[in-house]
Amino acid sequence: MEDKLTRVYDRETFFKLLARQIISVHDHKVKLSLLVIDINRFNRINKLYDYPTGDLVLKKFTKLLSNVKREQDYLARIGDNRFALILVNIMNAGHAKLAAQKILRQLEVAFEIGSEKILIEATIGISLCPLHASKTTALLKESEIALESARKNKQFIGMPEISKEDHLSDTWDIELAIDEAFQTQQFSLYYQPKISLKTGKPVGAEALLRWNHHMRGFISPDIFIPIAEKSGHIKPITSWILNSVLRHSSKWTRKWGRLSVSANIPPELILQLDLKDFVANAIKLWSNDNVTLILEIIERSLVEDPEKSFEILKQMQSMGVKISIDDFGTGYSSLAYFKSLPINELKIDQSFVFDLLTDSSNEKLVRLIIDLAHNFDLEVVAEGVQDRQTLMMLKNMGCHIVQGYFIAKPMPHEEFINWLENFKELPKELYP
Ligand code: C2E
Ligand code: CA
């Protein structure tokens, strides 16, 4: 049923709609937010002008709220000068706050009613379901309490206090957003070049996942990858990465000869038997004789069941795929089984490379890793090379390949294609 004056839903219908949407929250694991919006000191308007003017203010105010409401949301008048806006299917609290800020921003312009210019203020209380409450009356109460406490503190927007529970559900927030991001193609791959210190030429690139969220901007993989690993999203994401790196690299120039493309494989996936299948499928689909696929895995991937993981890695190698140990030096590699590791490359963790010039124990470690690689006939890559001196030192130590901001930052695929075209070998004096 409609409210007669403003033609939005009335209080009774509001409760029914809210109840229905809350069921949907539980069924589909989505989120909704309830905004309760009060026009401040509305009685004063009625007293200062007259009731018909008060009614016109309510109508104009309703119009303004309708501008913020999306098609799927619900707007209702639930008291004389109190409105409710149900925002369905939202991602997080920031989303709801943004809607509240939009409402307040529109109020900066006075309403023109007849010859009068009437400036009004509003206070908004926000709550989220299921975060703050999961029942209609409780949720409404949370928004109303938030509204009152905002008003008491002379603020315009209020939300229930952040508790430990909120913190947990922040993870849930991202989990949900990761799902949406994957479906709506918010992920992309950036490529960071690797350069040979023997020839000064590019030898390949590492693919690094990027998430450009439409409201939060770039979210670091260090934040969302561990969550995607826990939630199970990492498997379809990794499958997408494998296909994308092979598809992309099939467009790379042949000017530099054979190149490699490295993809990061999370530890959980190593022991999954179908990893081999989806690597094999991706290779078959994008068959490319100019590019070698390198899988970067961290040491931790191998400790759980070394025998089984070795077997899986060997199968990969038999398909022509190379295996690289990422962040080498930070894990628990036991020298006892190092000799039997089915790997082709060691990547020295960047934490050792950053302070190479100033920290003598890092220097010893890096030297050790490089020697180890030489003895076992492995390629050795230093990542995180940020300056010329570090590069020279690595070269003198016998490091084969470098990657880092000194050469280039990770860049979108199109940019990387141009970079490959235009790169002029490293100047000889850098690797005498
Ligand atoms: P990682 O595999 O050790 O990747 C190297 C990180 O160092 C990247 O950060 C890269 O941008 C950064 N980096 C490279 N050169 C420099 C440098 O000279 N200076 C500094 N300060 N940083 C440098 P990013 O892209 O933020 O990735 C962070 C981590 O997230 C990665 O560490 C990797 O563990 C994970 N990650 C990134 N992309 C993927 C992916 O596609 N799949 C999986 N499973 N994990 C990924
Ligand atoms: Ca890596």
Side-chain angles (χ1 to χ4, degrees), residues 206 264 296 326 347 383:
E206 175 179 6
N264 290 282
E296 291 193 5
D326 207 359
K347 282 191 97 168
E383 60 180 356

Side-chain angles (χ1 to χ4, degrees), residues 189 192 206-210 220-225 229 234 237-238 241 263-267 296 298 326-327 347 349-350 354 383-386 403-406 408-410:
L189 287 170
Q192 188 176 34
E206 175 179 6
L208 293 156
L209 191 59
R210 291 291 176 265
S220 165
D222 282 329
I223 293 175
F224 71 85
I225 295 223
E229 284 176 356
I234 197 69
I237 292 176
T238 306
I241 290 172
N264 290 282
I265 304 293
E296 291 193 5
I298 56 169
D326 207 359
D327 305 344
K347 282 191 97 168
D349 189 64
Q350 54 188 15
F354 287 156
E383 60 180 356
V385 178
Q386 304 194 118
Q403 177 185 340
Y405 293 176
F406 180 64
K409 286 194 170 178

Side-chain angles (χ1 to χ4, degrees), residues 21-78:
Q21 290 308 316
I22 287 179
I23 292 172
S24 173
V25 165
H26 297 309
D27 287 352
H28 304 295
K29 284 207 181 310
V30 290
K31 255 186 183 181
L32 74 73
S33 174
L34 174 63
L35 269 60
V36 171
I37 309 134
D38 241 16
I39 300 179
N40 295 347
R41 291 178 296 158
F42 183 68
N43 275 343
R44 206 179 51 114
I45 295 171
N46 275 339
K47 274 188 202 147
L48 222 59
Y49 304 95
D50 49 19
Y51 282 99
T53 306
D55 284 353
L56 283 172
V57 167
L58 286 170
K59 279 188 177 172
K60 290 234 173 205
F61 189 67
T62 311
K63 173 119 196 311
L64 176 153
L65 294 176
S66 313
N67 291 340
V68 174
K69 169 189 158 322
R70 301 161 308 169
E71 209 170 327
Q72 64 265 41
D73 301 331
Y74 299 96
L75 177 61
R77 183 174 170 214
I78 56 170

Side-chain angles (χ1 to χ4, degrees), residues 79-327:
D80 289 341
N81 54 328
R82 178 161 290 194
F83 292 78
L85 183 58
I86 308 171
L87 301 175
V88 301
N89 215 343
I90 62 151
M91 214 113 61
N92 49 45
H95 196 146
K97 266 193 190 153
L98 204 72
Q101 281 157 356
K102 272 191 193 162
I103 296 172
L104 296 176
R105 210 168 307 132
Q106 290 189 75
L107 288 175
E108 286 164 9
V109 183
F111 288 166
E112 286 189 24
I113 294 178
S115 56
E116 303 288 349
K117 281 203 165 109
I118 305 177
L119 201 58
I120 67 162
E121 279 183 354
T123 309
I124 303 174
I126 303 174
S127 68
L128 269 72
C129 172
L131 183 57
H132 301 118
S134 303
K135 297 222 165 70
T136 45
T137 43
L139 195 65
L140 179 61
K141 200 166 152 207
E142 287 292 339
S143 292
E144 290 184 321
I145 292 172
L147 190 155
E148 291 314 328
S149 72
R151 185 170 277 158
K152 218 167 71 200
N153 296 325
K154 300 203 166 21
Q155 285 173 341
F156 294 108
I157 300 177
M159 208 184 273
E161 295 271 297
I162 291 181
S163 63
K164 205 171 153 210
E165 209 180 312
D166 283 35
H167 206 68
L168 282 178
S169 102
D170 211 38
T171 310
W172 188 72
D173 242 352
I174 298 190
E175 224 180 281
L176 194 72
I178 288 174
D179 196 43
E180 194 198 72
F182 189 52
Q183 320 234 359
T184 58
Q185 290 154 21
Q186 293 171 30
F187 289 126
S188 65
L189 287 170
Y190 273 40
Y191 289 87
Q192 188 176 34
K194 287 160 79 180
I195 299 280
S196 160
L197 287 179
K198 285 179 216 149
T199 62
K201 293 177 181 163
V203 288
E206 175 179 6
L208 293 156
L209 191 59
R210 291 291 176 265
W211 177 10
N212 190 0
H213 187 269
H214 57 280
M215 269 165 59
R216 293 177 178 228
F218 278 101
I219 301 173
S220 165
D222 282 329
I223 293 175
F224 71 85
I225 295 223
I227 295 166
E229 284 176 356
K230 267 195 232 136
S231 68
H233 287 102
I234 197 69
K235 197 168 170 180
I237 292 176
T238 306
S239 171
W240 172 81
I241 290 172
L242 283 167
N243 279 286
S244 305
V245 299
L246 290 169
R247 179 167 52 90
H248 284 159
S249 57
S250 66
K251 301 203 180 102
W252 295 354
T253 176
R254 288 175 179 255
K255 164 177 165 185
W256 300 109
R258 194 172 184 81
L259 294 172
S260 66
V261 64
S262 306
N264 290 282
I265 304 293
E268 292 74 16
L269 296 193
I270 301 296
L271 285 175
Q272 298 199 6
L273 290 171
D274 52 354
L275 176 67
K276 183 181 145 245
D277 294 335
F278 65 74
V279 171
N281 285 341
I283 293 178
K284 208 157 97 196
L285 194 62
W286 306 106
S287 71
N288 178 357
D289 55 11
N290 193 44
V291 171
T292 305
L293 175 64
I294 300 182
L295 303 182
E296 291 193 5
I297 62 175
I298 56 169
E299 295 176 66
R300 183 161 61 83
S301 320
L302 307 172
V303 288
E304 196 183 313
D305 186 345
E307 258 178 55
K308 195 169 161 201
S309 8
F310 284 17
E311 190 48 44
I312 294 171
L313 297 183
K314 277 184 196 155
Q315 289 175 346
M316 306 279 186
Q317 286 178 322
S318 69
M319 298 190 289
V321 174
K322 294 202 165 161
I323 308 295
S324 171
I325 299 279
D326 207 359
D327 305 344

